[in-house]
Amino acid sequence: MAMLSVKDLEVYYGSIHAIKGISFEVNEGEIVTLIGANGAGKTTTLHAISGLVKVKSGSVDFCGNNLRTTEPHKIIRLGLAQVPEGRRVFAKMTVQENLEMGACIRKDKAAVEADYKAVFERLPRLKERRKQIAGTLSGGEQQMLAIGRALMGNPKMLLLDEPSMGLSPLLVNEIFNIIQDVNKSGVTVLLVEQNAKKALEIANRAYVLETGGISMSGDAKTLSQDEQVRKAYLGG
C-alpha cells in the first residue's frame, strides 16, 4: 500500500482549472519527483496535499488518513511536513528558535532533544549559527534551516518545493546530498523541482506535469533518457 495516494485530484483557482484529475502514488522509503515547467501545477499539488488550497474533487490519502477532511495543522501531526518554496524561515528569529518552531507540536522532550542533535549532525552549519538571526543567513543556509525545521517535526514524509531555487551549483549539490541523506535515514520524500536533471538523478520514480495534468511517469533513470523529456527539461 502506498504511503501517499492521490487520485483524480481537481483544483480550481476561480475559473482557472489548475489541476486536472491527476493521480499518483509515493511508496514508503522512496524519493518521488514531480517535474515540469513553471505554471504546470507542481506547487499547487503540494498545497492540495497539505490542505493549503481547496480541492474541488478527488482523494488524498496519507497512511490511511483522508487528508481532504483533515485540517492543515493536524496533517503535520500525522507525519507529513512541507518545506515551502522560497524557504520561508522566520527571518527575525534565531536558527535555534526556528528549529524550536518545527518541534512545537511535540511533547516528547527527550526525543526532541535527540532530534536537535541529529539535525546538527546532519547540518553542522546550523549548529555553528544556532544563535544567528535566520534572515542574515545565506540562501543555502536558509534552505538547510527550512529542511532542519521540518525534520524537527519528526515527519514520515517530506514535501520539498523547489529546494534548489536561487542557489549556486555548488550549493545545489549540497542540498541534494542532504535530501538523499534524509531519505536514507528513513524519511520518504516527494520532491517538486524545476532542476529536472538533479531531481531525476536522485529520485526513484518521476511524474511529468504539463498544464495541470500528468503527461508521463515512470522510473526516474528511464525518464532521464527519454528524448522528449531531455528536449523539454534537460537541455537536449
Side-chain angles (χ1 to χ4, degrees), residues 73 76-81 98-119 122 147-156 187:
H73 68 279
I76 296 172
R77 293 181 187 277
L78 294 174
L80 188 66
N98 269 266
L99 295 177
E100 288 170 358
M101 290 297 291
C104 67
I105 63 170
R106 300 175 62 185
K107 308 296 183 186
D108 46 344
K109 292 185 179 180
V112 169
E113 194 59 38
D115 283 343
Y116 276 126
K117 292 179 181 178
V119 166
R122 179 173 285 124
I147 293 171
R149 181 180 61 190
L151 292 176
M152 287 305 302
N154 192 30
K156 298 172 185 174
V187 181

Side-chain angles (χ1 to χ4, degrees), residues 141-152:
E141 289 164 349
Q142 288 188 20
Q143 187 63 66
M144 292 175 198
L145 179 55
I147 293 171
R149 181 180 61 190
L151 292 176
M152 287 305 302

Side-chain angles (χ1 to χ4, degrees), residues 10 23 32 38 56 62 79 109 146 152 173 188 216:
E10 302 266 355
S23 300
V32 171
N38 276 335
K56 178 75 172 179
F62 176 68
K109 292 185 179 180
M152 287 305 302
N173 289 335
T188 303
M216 300 179 71

